[in-house]
Amino acid sequence: MSKQQQALLLTPPLFPKEYPYEMDNFYGFKCSYCHGNGWIPTLGERNECERKDCPVCKGSGILKAVVTTKWMPDKKEDR
């Protein structure tokens, strides 16, 4: 079965001193908490099964990832 995968290729910016931070958004990840349903089963007052909005994705079923990169000097003692 095929799998969709997103990747981020890191290259330093031309002016890292003026712009030390970069932010990238990745969309369309299926929520792993509710398995993309947007809801989770819960027990109601009379022990009947009810649907409650997922607390992680807030009922959408999908998530986005916000990746922030900070560019800073590399020191030999940090390696």
Side-chain angles (χ1 to χ4, degrees):
M1 187 163 127
S2 298
K3 182 178 181 182
Q4 181 180 356
Q5 198 170 15
Q6 297 182 18
L8 177 64
L9 180 63
L10 292 174
T11 55
L14 291 175
F15 304 104
K17 185 176 181 185
E18 289 83 11
Y19 304 102
Y21 292 97
E22 291 180 308
M23 191 168 73
D24 294 298
N25 295 317
F26 295 92
Y27 301 94
F29 293 97
K30 187 167 90 169
C31 180
S32 58
Y33 191 79
C34 67
H35 306 289
N37 293 328
W39 54 271
I40 55 172
T42 58
L43 289 177
E45 292 180 14
R46 300 182 185 181
N47 288 336
E48 68 273 359
C49 188
E50 294 180 350
R51 292 182 179 186
K52 182 179 176 186
D53 281 349
C54 175
V56 177
C57 67
K58 307 294 186 217
S60 69
I62 55 174
L63 299 171
K64 78 173 182 178
V66 179
V67 179
T68 304
T69 306
K70 179 181 178 184
W71 295 98
M72 54 193 336
D74 188 11
K75 299 176 184 171
K76 290 187 178 185
E77 59 267 5
D78 290 342
R79 294 184 194 176

